[in-house]
Amino acid sequence: MKAKKNSKIKVNKKRLSIVIAMLAVAIILLIGILNLILRVFSPEKPFGNYSNNNAGLAIADGNTVYYNKYESGIFKVKGKKETKLTDETAYSITLVKNTLYYLTISENNTIDLKKVNTDGEDKEKIATLSTPMSKFYIDDNNVFYITNKEKMRIVKLSLEDLTETTLVESGINDFVVSKGKVYYTNNNGYLYSISTEGTNNKEISKEYNIRNFQVLKNWIYFYDNSEGALCKIKNNGKSKQTVTNFVNNETYNVTNNKIYYYDATNKQICRCDLKGKKSIAIVKIQAERTKINIANGILYYLDKSDNNNQMYKMYRVKTNGGATNSIEY
């Protein structure tokens, strides 16, 4: 009787191990399916232009979009209702909670950093900046930007007391703030990182001539001129990969779902997947240059204006290539 009992216990253990293994496989499959669902149905977030890196045209918060009409000012659009927030021309916009931060040129031709609530109230000038670049980031109640005062530097401006701290004192070509780090390239195209506190400055890569770049999770995307393709490397400088030869210039935007880029040869804006496959033309344009901005599933871009007083005008089109609509000025 004892032998039979032990045999039965052994059989049950074997069955239990099979059940556990099957459950583990099922959990892995479920996680994979959930990640796929989230990736497909989550709203497209333009990691590369969190601070409007490439465009500065529009930014979304749920179903609400904020965009700049240049001479006409910044507008808030929800559904079919459009509300004017400020009549100033904003050259870049970023959103933190219920506050829009933007750069504008004052009547005295100074570059001012300002803010306004998303309801249009409490408009305020924060500081006058000496900067050659409209790109900036807001992180942990600090403004990160490039200044050309005295020399090109990356600085951090406290929004609490407006004290300014220099993070990097060398020639700067581009920078991105992501997850507590400032990634930057110098005039030689070398890539570095430093913490937002100004510590742990280290070299990531000297192998490639990286000019402008974008950060998506643990990857750094850049256009490799020598290869004529969009490439990426890990944020530790390893594992360089060619993403796609479809991208043949630096006008592109990497989101969490797709890569959008300007096909200069055929004068059209296209998209492909993150593996660099399945290229689809979205819209033809007339201009030789453009900007690409994704906000709330809509592609905002610049094209020639039908107004003789303007060189460019902003347009929008669904990312699946649906009807094109100009922004009414």
Side-chain angles (χ1 to χ4, degrees):
M1 292 293 291
K2 285 183 180 180
K4 287 182 180 179
K5 195 172 185 180
N6 289 338
S7 175
K8 192 171 183 180
I9 291 171
K10 286 180 181 178
V11 170
N12 289 340
K13 283 182 177 179
K14 187 176 180 180
R15 286 180 178 174
L16 183 61
S17 63
I18 292 171
V19 170
I20 291 172
M22 291 175 67
L23 283 172
V25 171
I27 291 170
I28 292 170
L29 287 172
L30 181 60
I31 292 172
I33 291 169
L34 287 173
N35 285 334
L36 180 61
I37 291 171
L38 287 172
R39 187 169 173 178
V40 171
F41 293 102
S42 63
E44 278 195 273
K45 182 179 178 183
F47 288 83
N49 68 338
Y50 163 75
S51 69
N52 302 294
N53 180 11
N54 288 335
L57 303 180
I59 195 163
D61 181 22
N63 294 324
T64 305
V65 175
Y66 304 88
Y67 57 64
N68 177 50
K69 289 186 179 182
Y70 290 93
E71 289 81 2
S72 299
I74 302 173
F75 288 76
K76 170 183 177 180
V77 181
K78 189 170 184 179
K80 294 184 178 181
K81 184 180 179 181
E82 184 179 79
T83 305
K84 188 172 187 176
L85 302 183
T86 171
D87 57 4
E88 297 167 300
T89 299
Y91 294 97
S92 59
I93 311 170
T94 193
L95 177 66
V96 180
K97 295 182 179 178
N98 65 338
T99 303
L100 284 169
Y101 294 85
Y102 60 98
L103 286 183
T104 187
I105 297 178
S106 72
E107 293 179 355
N108 299 320
N109 287 325
T110 59
I111 301 174
D112 293 339
L113 174 66
K114 294 188 175 184
K115 67 177 181 178
V116 63
N117 286 355
T118 53
D119 58 6
E121 301 295 327
D122 300 328
K123 187 174 72 174
E124 178 185 335
K125 174 185 170 182
I126 299 172
T128 295
L129 307 182
S130 297
T131 179
M133 186 184 294
S134 60
K135 176 180 180 180
F136 68 94
Y137 290 85
I138 306 289
D139 186 75
D140 195 24
N141 212 29
N142 292 292
V143 183
F144 295 83
Y145 72 100
I146 291 177
T147 182
N148 58 356
K149 188 176 182 180
E150 298 174 358
K151 57 183 177 181
M152 291 283 282
R153 296 172 290 137
I154 299 177
V155 294
K156 176 173 73 171
L157 176 70
S158 169
L159 288 173
E160 292 181 2
D161 56 16
L162 298 183
T163 57
E164 193 170 86
T165 305
T166 297
L167 297 181
V168 180
E169 293 188 59
S170 60
I172 307 298
N173 189 71
D174 193 19
F175 80 113
V176 171
V177 178
S178 176
K179 297 180 180 179
K181 288 185 179 181
V182 180
Y183 298 91
Y184 65 95
T185 53
N186 64 13
N187 292 331
N188 295 317
Y190 300 160
L191 180 65
Y192 299 84
S193 72
I194 188 171
S195 77
T196 51
E197 298 301 317
T199 60
N200 198 25
N201 192 9
K202 63 181 181 181
E203 173 191 306
I204 296 177
S205 174
K206 285 186 176 181
E207 295 181 56
Y208 318 105
N209 185 10
I210 302 174
R211 311 299 295 177
N212 303 313
F213 64 96
Q214 297 182 8
V215 177
L216 175 60
K217 298 179 181 177
N218 295 323
W219 292 95
I220 294 171
Y221 289 77
F222 64 98
Y223 176 69
D224 189 331
N225 191 59
S226 62
E227 193 172 331
L230 180 67
C231 298
K232 67 178 181 179
I233 57 173
K234 284 285 184 69
N235 56 12
N236 59 7
K238 298 179 180 179
S239 305
K240 185 194 177 190
Q241 298 178 21
T242 300
V243 179
T244 180
N245 292 99
F246 289 136
V247 178
N248 55 17
N249 57 73
E250 290 190 338
T251 304
Y252 66 89
N253 198 343
V254 182
T255 73
N256 61 335
N257 289 336
K258 304 288 182 183
I259 299 169
Y260 297 84
Y261 63 95
Y262 174 51
D263 176 1
T265 303
N266 298 299
K267 295 182 71 170
Q268 59 190 11
I269 297 175
C270 307
R271 76 165 197 236
C272 64
D273 61 29
L274 292 179
K275 293 182 179 180
K277 308 294 183 184
K278 301 178 181 177
S279 176
I280 298 172
I282 299 175
V283 63
K284 286 272 190 181
I285 68 172
Q286 297 179 342
E288 298 293 334
R289 300 177 63 186
T290 188
K291 293 183 176 182
I292 299 172
N293 215 151
I294 307 297
N296 203 22
I298 302 295
L299 165 64
Y300 292 81
Y301 64 98
L302 294 183
D303 201 356
K304 283 186 176 180
S305 174
D306 51 10
N307 185 337
N308 292 330
N309 296 322
Q310 296 172 314
M311 184 177 295
Y312 292 101
K313 189 173 182 180
M314 183 164 66
Y315 296 82
R316 56 188 169 194
V317 62
K318 290 183 178 180
T319 54
N320 62 3
T324 302
N325 296 306
S326 65
I327 305 299
E328 297 302 324
Y329 284 66

